[in-house]
Amino acid sequence: MTRTTLRATLHLAWPILIAQVTLMLMPIMDTMMVGHYHTTDLAAVALGNSVYITVFLTLSGVLQALSPHFAHHHGAGDRALIRRDFQQGVWLAALLAVLGVGVLSFPAPLLAWTQASPEVLDKAADYLRAIAFGIPAVMLYKVATALLGATHHQRVLMWVSMTGVAVNVPLNYVLIHGELGLPELGATGCGIATAIATTLNMLLAFRYFARHPDFTALALFKDWQKPDWQRQAELIKLGAPIAFSLMVEISAFTLIALFVARLGPSVIGGHRIAAQMAGLCYMLPLALGTATSILVGQACGAGDYRRARHTAWVGALLAGTLATVVGLIIYLLRNPIAHAFSDDPAVVTIGVQLMIFIAVYQFFDGVQTIGTFALRGYKVTFAPMWIHVLCFWLIGLGGGYYLAFYDLSALGYTLGPSGAAGFWGASVVSTIAAALLLSALLHQVSRDKAREFGDRPL
C-alpha cells in the first residue's frame, strides 16, 4: 500500500511542482533582472513583492477551500456539486479581487512605516500599482488550479505556467530597460510584466475548461448561478482560517523585509535573495502538500479514512526527506546563487550568510507543510490556524524582531543585535515547533476519523 501511495502522490505532485516552480520564476526573474539594473530598484521590488505576496496569498487562501470540496465531490462522483462550487468559486474570486486591487492600488499605509528611503518607497508603490491589474486574473486562476488539481488535470497547469514565464521574461527586459521605443520603467516594468503574464495564465486555463471533454461534460458554464450567499458563507468559513494561516506563515517572512528596510538597501537585497531561495525550496513541500490534500480529500469523499490516514503520513515522510535534499543543495551552491542575483558585494555577502538557515529547517518545513495540507483534506483548518499564529508570529516574527534589534546583554547573554540573521534564526525555531504541533494534531484527527468510520470504506 505504501508503494502505491507514493506513486499516486508523486504522479499528482510532479506536474504541480513544475507549475509552481515555473510560476516562482516570475518573482525570481524580477529580482535577478532588476538586481543587475539598480540596487534601489531591487530594494523596491523586494519591498513591493513582500506586500504583494502577503495580500495575494491571504486572499487566494480563501479560495483554497475549493480544493478539498472539489476533491470530496470528485471522490464521490458528484458532477453537479463540482459545477455548483466552480460557479460559486468564480463569484468569490471576483469579490476578493476587488479587495486586492483596492489594497495594492493605495499601498502607502503599508509601506510608510518601513522607514525605507523615499526613493525606494516611491518605486515600490509604483510596482504595486502596476501589479494590481493582474489580481482579478490571479484570483480566477486559483479557482481553475483547484479544480484542475482535484480532477487530475494538473499537467495543464505545468504548460500554462511555462507559457506565462516565457512571456514574462522578455517583457521584463523590455519594460525594465525601455527597449523597443518604450519608456525605461525599472521596478515598475516588473509589475506590468507580471500582471500581463498572470492574465494570460488565467485565459489559457479557462480556455481549457471550454474545450476539454472532461470539463465540457461537467457543463461548468451552463445555467450560471447567482451568488449563493449561504454557500459563500460555507466556503469562507472553511477558507478564512486557511487564508489567515497563509497570511501568518508568509507574513512571518515577508514582514522581515519591511522590518530590515531600516538597515539599508544592501540588507534588503541580501534578505531578498535568501527569501527567494527559501520560497523556491518551499515549492517542493507545497506541491507534495497539494497532492496529499487532494488524495486525502478524495479518500474522505469515498469514505476510506484508513487510506486517508496512510496517505497523509506517507506524504509527510516524503516531503521531509526530499526537502532536506533540496536544502543541502542550496547550502552547497549558496555562493554562485548569490552572485547570480546581484553584482553588489555587500548584497552577495548577506545573501550567502542567510542562505545557511534555509538548509537547517528544510525537513521540518516539509513536515509542517504536509501536516497543514493533509488537515485541509479532512476539512480541518481552524486549529492549524492558531498553531501558525503561535509559531510563526509569536516565536518567529516576535522572537526574530527581538534578536534582530535588541541587545540581549541585559538578560545575561553576550549576543548583541543580530540584524536579519536574528529573524532567520527565530524562523528555524518556529518551523520546528510548527512541525511538532501539526504532526500531533494530524495524528489525532486521522486516528479519530479512522476509528469513527472503521477501516473499511463507507
Side-chain angles (χ1 to χ4, degrees):
M1 185 177 182
T2 299
R3 183 176 299 178
T4 301
T5 304
L6 277 172
R7 282 201 301 265
T9 303
L10 290 171
H11 177 76
L12 188 58
W14 75 263
I16 298 174
L17 173 62
I18 293 176
Q20 290 170 340
V21 170
T22 305
L23 288 175
M24 185 69 184
L25 287 176
M26 286 192 192
I28 288 178
M29 293 306 298
D30 286 354
T31 302
M32 293 178 69
M33 296 177 77
V34 83
H36 291 286
Y37 174 73
H38 199 283
T39 299
T40 301
D41 288 78
L42 172 61
V45 170
L47 285 181
N49 196 255
S50 296
V51 173
Y52 171 72
I53 289 295
T54 302
V55 172
F56 154 63
L57 288 178
T58 300
L59 295 177
S60 65
V62 178
L63 297 171
Q64 288 196 23
L66 292 167
S67 184
H69 282 294
F70 286 144
H72 278 243
H73 300 333
H74 184 71
D78 197 326
R79 292 184 173 185
L81 290 182
I82 291 177
R83 180 170 62 252
R84 180 201 66 181
D85 281 351
F86 173 79
Q87 294 179 4
Q88 294 303 315
V90 169
W91 283 115
L92 182 56
L95 294 173
L96 293 169
V98 172
L99 179 59
V101 171
V103 171
L104 295 180
S105 296
F106 302 95
L110 297 174
L111 296 173
W113 56 279
T114 63
Q115 301 180 29
S117 69
E119 185 180 8
V120 171
L121 289 177
D122 289 343
K123 287 179 178 289
D126 290 339
Y127 168 84
L128 287 170
R129 294 188 190 101
I131 206 170
F133 287 101
I135 283 289
V138 170
M139 293 298 108
L140 291 172
Y141 186 63
K142 293 301 293 185
V143 178
T145 57
L147 180 55
L148 289 167
T151 54
H152 292 251
H153 283 264
Q154 67 277 8
R155 290 192 183 186
V156 69
L157 298 173
M158 176 179 68
W159 297 112
V160 167
S161 61
M162 287 181 176
T163 303
V165 171
V167 171
N168 177 254
V169 171
L171 272 178
N172 257 345
Y173 183 81
V174 169
L175 294 174
I176 290 172
H177 297 279
E179 302 292 338
L180 303 179
L182 295 173
E184 186 176 338
L185 298 176
T188 304
C190 293
I192 296 173
T194 299
I196 293 173
T198 52
T199 300
L200 176 62
N201 287 349
M202 181 274 293
L203 293 173
L204 290 174
F206 274 73
R207 182 177 182 272
Y208 186 82
F209 288 146
R211 296 176 65 90
H212 194 281
D214 288 354
F215 294 103
T216 55
L218 291 173
L220 295 175
F221 303 98
K222 183 180 179 180
D223 299 326
W224 194 267
Q225 301 176 5
K226 296 179 180 180
D228 181 340
W229 298 114
Q230 181 179 352
R231 188 57 181 163
Q232 294 289 325
E234 292 171 355
L235 292 174
I236 292 173
K237 182 179 179 180
L238 182 64
I242 297 176
F244 194 76
S245 292
L246 280 170
M247 188 267 287
V248 168
E249 186 174 357
I250 298 301
S251 66
F253 286 93
T254 57
L255 285 176
I256 297 174
L258 305 183
F259 285 135
V260 302
R262 69 190 70 173
L263 301 178
S266 295
V267 177
I268 299 174
H271 165 74
R272 177 65 174 169
I273 293 172
Q276 288 284 6
M277 297 315 301
L280 185 60
C281 290
Y282 181 65
M283 293 301 101
L284 176 60
L286 180 60
L288 292 169
T290 302
T292 300
S293 178
I294 291 169
L295 293 173
V296 168
Q298 290 174 348
C300 292
D304 192 346
Y305 287 93
R306 183 169 178 261
R307 174 161 59 93
R309 175 178 169 84
H310 183 75
T311 299
W313 289 114
V314 169
L317 180 60
L318 180 63
T321 302
L322 294 180
T324 301
V325 174
V326 172
L328 181 60
I329 293 172
I330 296 297
Y331 173 78
L332 294 175
L333 298 178
R334 64 192 185 279
N335 280 288
I337 289 172
H339 281 91
F341 277 93
S342 178
D343 297 321
D344 188 325
V347 171
V348 169
T349 299
I350 295 170
V352 169
Q353 293 172 349
L354 296 181
M355 273 190 281
I356 296 174
F357 292 96
I358 297 174
V360 176
Y361 71 73
Q362 282 305 302
F363 173 82
F364 300 99
D365 196 36
V367 172
Q368 73 89 15
T369 301
I370 296 298
T372 300
F373 276 82
L375 287 164
R376 291 175 192 172
Y378 284 102
K379 296 185 179 180
V380 175
T381 60
F382 192 72
M385 177 188 73
W386 289 112
I387 291 175
H388 286 149
V389 170
L390 169 65
C391 295
F392 295 114
W393 268 1
L394 184 61
I395 298 175
L397 198 57
Y401 190 91
Y402 200 92
L403 290 173
F405 298 115
Y406 288 91
D407 190 338
L408 300 183
S409 58
L411 300 177
Y413 297 97
T414 57
L415 179 66
S418 55
F423 281 108
W424 282 85
S427 296
V428 171
V429 177
S430 69
T431 305
I432 294 172
L436 295 174
L437 292 173
L438 288 165
S439 295
L441 179 61
L442 177 60
H443 170 70
Q444 179 183 345
V445 170
S446 61
R447 180 196 61 195
D448 291 348
K449 286 289 186 181
R451 287 178 176 176
E452 180 181 356
F453 292 97
D455 288 340
R456 294 176 300 172
L458 295 176

